[in-house]
Amino acid sequence: MGIDEYGGGQGPQADVLVVTTNDIPGYRVEQVIGEVFGLTVRSRHLGSQIGAGLKSMVGGELKGLTKTLVQTRNQAMERLIEQARARGANGVLAFRFDVTEAADVGTEVCAYGTAVILARE
C-alpha cells in the first residue's frame, strides 16, 4: 500500500483551512459561523470481512479495512469542507473525527469542527 492509499488531509492550496487547534498563528478569527460536520456511513462487504477474519487469526494489518477507513474519513472531511464553504467559511477550527458502529451494518464516520472566517494578521 502506497502513501497515497492510506494518507489523508488537505493539499497545500486548500481554500478552507482545517486544523485541530483552536487558533492559527498568523491568523485572527473575524467571525464564528458555527458547527459544521460531514457524515458518511459505510458498510463492509463480505469479501473484506472474510479476509479480515482470516488475517486476524495470524495477525498483521488489515490493509483492505485500513484503505476503506481512509476513504471513509476523507469523504467525511470533504463533506465538512463543502458545508463550511457553503456557509461562507474559509477555516474550520477544533477539527475532529468521531467513529461509531452503525446498527451492526457499518461504520459511521463524522468529521466536525467550528466554521470560521479567518483573516491574516
Side-chain angles (χ1 to χ4, degrees):
M1 217 190 263
I3 189 74
D4 293 335
E5 293 180 297
Y6 64 88
Q10 295 183 287
Q13 302 300 322
D15 64 325
V16 177
L17 184 58
V18 179
V19 297
T20 59
T21 56
N22 293 327
D23 53 18
I24 304 169
Y27 290 85
R28 72 177 180 284
V29 175
E30 287 193 336
Q31 181 182 349
V32 174
I33 295 172
E35 179 192 11
V36 289
F37 67 91
L39 181 67
T40 185
V41 179
R42 294 276 177 103
S43 65
R44 293 174 223 95
H45 67 72
L46 184 59
S48 70
Q49 285 184 303
I50 292 171
L54 294 173
K55 184 71 170 184
S56 68
M57 287 191 249
V58 296
E61 181 181 7
L62 305 174
K63 291 183 180 181
L65 292 178
T66 299
K67 188 174 180 179
T68 299
L69 184 55
V70 167
Q71 291 168 344
T72 304
R73 287 172 58 120
N74 288 342
Q75 183 178 45
M77 186 173 180
E78 287 169 10
R79 290 179 177 175
L80 167 127
I81 292 168
E82 287 173 17
Q83 187 183 41
R85 189 181 294 121
R87 294 181 64 190
N90 66 350
V92 176
L93 303 179
F95 171 73
R96 303 286 188 271
F97 282 110
D98 186 41
V99 180
T100 58
E101 291 297 312
D104 295 330
V105 296
T107 302
E108 171 192 330
V109 176
C110 182
Y112 63 95
T114 303
V116 297
I117 296 176
L118 298 168
R120 286 194 179 270
E121 292 184 326

